[in-house]
Amino acid sequence: MRFIVWLLTKVQSILCTFAPANKPTLEPFLDTRMKVIPTTESRISTIDFNNLGFGAGLSDHVFICEYKNGQWGERVIQPYSSLKQGLGLHALHYGQAVFEGQKAYRQADGGIAIFRPERNWERLNKSGERMLIPAVPKEIFMEGLSELIRLDAEWVPRGENTALYLRPFLFSSSEFVAARPSEEYTFAIVTSPVGELYTKPVKVKIEQHFTRAAQGGVGYAKAAGNYGGAFLATRRAVEEGFNQVLWTDHAEHAYLEEAGTMNVAFVVNGTLVTPALSDRILEGITRESILILAKEWGIPVEERRISVDEIVEAAKNGSLQEAFGMGTAAVVSPIDGLGYQGEVIPVPAPADGVAMRVKNALADLRYGRTADPKGWMYRL
Ligand code: COI
């Protein structure tokens, strides 16, 4: 039996080698090292699937794999439970922690598929590299996601604009308070059934006091502290009546960078403009996908530096046709107002503009309602 499993694994890995690069293999990896401990008490009946917010209820199981003595160990799926580690947990003190955000979608035919999971794996390791965290092998990432979702398949919602949000994360798990890198790390995945993050267009405040990221810093990484560090500025913006902040650069607060936890784009005189990637900007997978689609549709696309003055001026003279945020959680979120120097400048949020066109195209693809010529959907 062991020999047969070994042989199948080998055949599969040879087949994977010949699979086209952009076409994820559809078959599950065979894993002889995965330990699965199913729950005896599902919490699924506590979730109101007709009223899903964002990220509150966590599904029954978690995936965990620990890195010790220079190698990744046993892969375990177990019931969701609190961390076993003590208060010396390194990540709590020094924030050596990165995460990903991705989604699994209920398909029109009842199946389940994940959107571009390999890009999330690549980005997780890119973030980890910046935070001096060892890379997670692709098989561990993909198997962990696939097996976890299979076990919690009933948690993948069926409603309009819903998904199972997937949160792979990597954190330093030695227990000591010396200010040096951890020796042990944990890769874990939790999941949460979610609805839309924003159900209406958002108003954003052009932030000219706080800074999200600086050149040479960790802004491009999905480092936990980037999000924790944004909470105060966001709270202030919310108190002033906005939904989010529109971050500007650290040096002059003169250039636009990101919108809250999303990348940002503008449509000016028919051209889709978005800040060019840099040390300070997250390489969004939704952003990347939208730019690919827009270019295919013949929409002119510019990735460049965008000044606050340019966008404020365009909003005032009518050449700003749209503004929107793009991200896994928010998907595509139209912006209908810019807070700047005490005033709110209205921005059009047309129902037939670029934002809604890409939002609908991505939804059709993600829910399996259209063909997938790029092989972006990884079907379980
Ligand atoms: C995502 O879009 O996945 C994010 O990272 C936002 C999250 C912090 C809610």
Side-chain angles (χ1 to χ4, degrees), residues 54 99 101 165 167 222 227 261 327-329:
F54 188 87
F99 69 91
Y165 185 75
R167 172 53 63 83
K222 228 165 156 56
Y227 296 78
T261 61
T328 300

Side-chain angles (χ1 to χ4, degrees), residues 99 223-233:
F99 69 91
N226 286 341
Y227 296 78
F231 290 157
L232 175 62

Side-chain angles (χ1 to χ4, degrees), residues 56-123:
L58 293 166
S59 319
D60 279 333
H61 296 92
V62 298
F63 171 84
I64 294 187
C65 182
E66 290 178 333
Y67 179 92
K68 290 184 178 169
N69 303 315
Q71 55 186 13
W72 291 100
E74 189 180 39
R75 305 137 199 214
V76 184
I77 289 181
Q78 62 186 59
Y80 179 86
S81 56
S82 45
L83 288 174
K84 300 281 186 301
Q85 284 95 344
L87 292 179
L89 183 71
H90 187 280
L92 296 179
H93 300 267
Y94 300 115
Q96 224 187 333
V98 298
F99 69 91
E100 270 308 314
Q102 46 191 134
K103 284 177 176 169
Y105 299 86
R106 182 68 64 183
Q107 303 295 282
D109 65 4
I112 298 171
I114 317 174
F115 183 70
R116 304 189 72 186
E118 293 173 345
R119 290 291 292 117
N120 290 90
W121 166 70
E122 286 165 2
R123 192 175 63 181

